Amino acid sequence: MAASAAPLDPLAYVQTASVVSHILQTRCDGYLKRTYGLSWPGFTVLRTLRQSGPTSAKRLTAALACTHSNITGIVDRLERDGWVKRTRSTEDRRVIFLKLTEKGEQIGEIEEGLHQFLTLSLGNWFGEAHPLFERLQALETLMEEGQPAEA
């Protein structure tokens, strides 16, 4: 009978996830800049706006788990480059909504191109349901709910 493997140190999980995330984001960022002149953070903002429709910067900050000043800088560049437009709320002039422009509506095509790039560069790793991805999704859900992760 084989001995069961000792559980890994939780810090090892965090460090490995962080390194892999950084490598994947760097690859995606390089592809997006070369192909569309778009950064990874900009891409994530466009993708979020496509999914949610016109959204305030405050909601984007929460959705993307970053600071308001980071969102402001990203949106400034996206607006400058014609991807998004800022519009004032008609109900509360203090609130500014962000929405995709016609150029920003291309996000679906950009997403398809990025998907193809990742599939080609990483082989079939993303081609099937993977237990690691399922575990990461479960961990994300637990963290969002503020509950400690189960062993």
Side-chain angles (χ1 to χ4, degrees), residues 120-135:
L120 289 173
S121 66
L122 298 172
N124 292 327
W125 199 86
F126 289 118
E128 59 188 55
H130 198 280
L132 174 62
F133 184 68
E134 293 168 4
R135 296 287 302 225

Side-chain angles (χ1 to χ4, degrees), residues 87-95 97:
T87 58
R88 287 210 182 271
S89 167
T90 55
E91 297 166 8
D92 183 347
R93 293 194 41 82
R94 296 171 295 176
V95 177
F97 288 104

Side-chain angles (χ1 to χ4, degrees), residues 23-60:
I23 291 168
L24 289 172
Q25 288 181 19
T26 300
R27 285 189 182 191
C28 290
D29 191 68
Y31 168 81
L32 290 166
K33 284 180 180 171
R34 283 190 311 276
T35 311
Y36 302 101
L38 188 63
S39 68
W40 173 252
F43 170 79
T44 60
V45 166
L46 296 178
R47 192 169 186 231
T48 302
L49 288 174
R50 183 191 57 174
Q51 292 167 347
S52 64
T55 304
S56 70
K58 185 176 183 177
R59 286 198 179 141
L60 270 180

Side-chain angles (χ1 to χ4, degrees), residues 13 17 20 125 130-142:
Y13 282 108
V20 170
W125 199 86
H130 198 280
L132 174 62
F133 184 68
E134 293 168 4
R135 296 287 302 225
L136 289 171
Q137 285 182 314
L139 179 60
E140 178 184 26
T141 300
L142 286 171

Side-chain angles (χ1 to χ4, degrees), residues 9-25 132 136 139:
D9 174 10
L11 296 176
Y13 282 108
V14 173
Q15 183 176 5
T16 301
S18 177
V19 169
V20 170
S21 176
H22 177 74
I23 291 168
L24 289 172
Q25 288 181 19
L132 174 62
L136 289 171
L139 179 60

Side-chain angles (χ1 to χ4, degrees), residues 80-136:
R80 177 197 68 204
D81 296 340
W83 296 98
V84 299
K85 181 179 180 176
R86 289 178 167 108
T87 58
R88 287 210 182 271
S89 167
T90 55
E91 297 166 8
D92 183 347
R93 293 194 41 82
R94 296 171 295 176
V95 177
I96 297 175
F97 288 104
L98 308 167
K99 69 179 205 172
L100 296 174
T101 61
E102 189 174 322
K103 182 178 180 180
E105 294 288 345
Q106 297 175 46
I107 189 62
E109 296 168 28
I110 295 169
E111 197 171 41
E112 287 176 27
L114 183 57
H115 184 271
Q116 289 176 357
F117 166 76
L118 287 170
T119 300
L120 289 173
S121 66
L122 298 172
N124 292 327
W125 199 86
F126 289 118
E128 59 188 55
H130 198 280
L132 174 62
F133 184 68
E134 293 168 4
R135 296 287 302 225
L136 289 171

